[in-house]
Amino acid sequence: GVSVGTFYNYYKNKGDMLMATVSMEVEEVLATGNTIIESDIENAGDALAELIGKYYDHSLTYLSKEMWRTAMSLSIGQPETPFSKRYTALDHRLSKQVCDLFRSLQSHGIVRKDVDCDATGELVFNNVNMMFIEFVKNEEMNVDGLKMEVARQNAPFIQLMSVEE
């Protein structure tokens, strides 16, 4: 509902607008994730599913699958651009949040003390990210199906790292 001239007063190009939208989405997800990490956590699987669920539930709030494909393509295809660097920085913040969740679980005695929370969080986030790419590529896949598949993949991993009761 704005003129082209007004649009370019705020953004240099459509890629800048897309990055602004991606940034807004990720900032909201990070804030929600911090609330989960700071809550009373009793089960590693439930906490991880809740965090990842928030990531996925929010993913289509501002961006369609097509827009996500464009953002990913720009990030990968032009790695030295400000867009790509910002996109990568946002991904790193999300990955760090998963690491922080595991540190919180460890401090609550839910995750074994010998677990490397950074390596574990990065590994889990990399899978979350890869599965999100698969979701974005597949127009038929819905968010609930995505969450179920990621939960299935994470279940044995969570079992291995959790403190036995």
Side-chain angles (χ1 to χ4, degrees), residues 13 18 23 32 55 61 70 75 130 142 148-149 159 161:
N13 54 46
L18 181 59
S23 295
T32 300
Y55 292 175
T61 300
T70 300
S75 175
M130 185 64 220
N142 62 31
M148 284 182 5
E149 181 60 18
Q159 185 177 12
M161 64 187 288

Side-chain angles (χ1 to χ4, degrees), residues 20-35:
T21 307
V22 169
S23 295
M24 181 175 59
E25 187 271 333
V26 171
E27 292 298 337
E28 289 178 10
V29 166
L30 286 166
T32 300
N34 287 338
T35 303

Side-chain angles (χ1 to χ4, degrees), residues 127-146:
N127 186 61
V128 165
N129 212 13
M130 185 64 220
M131 290 303 296
F132 184 69
I133 291 168
E134 293 301 315
F135 165 72
V136 168
K137 288 177 10 184
N138 182 347
E139 284 298 329
E140 303 301 315
M141 184 184 282
N142 62 31
V143 172
D144 289 338
L146 172 63

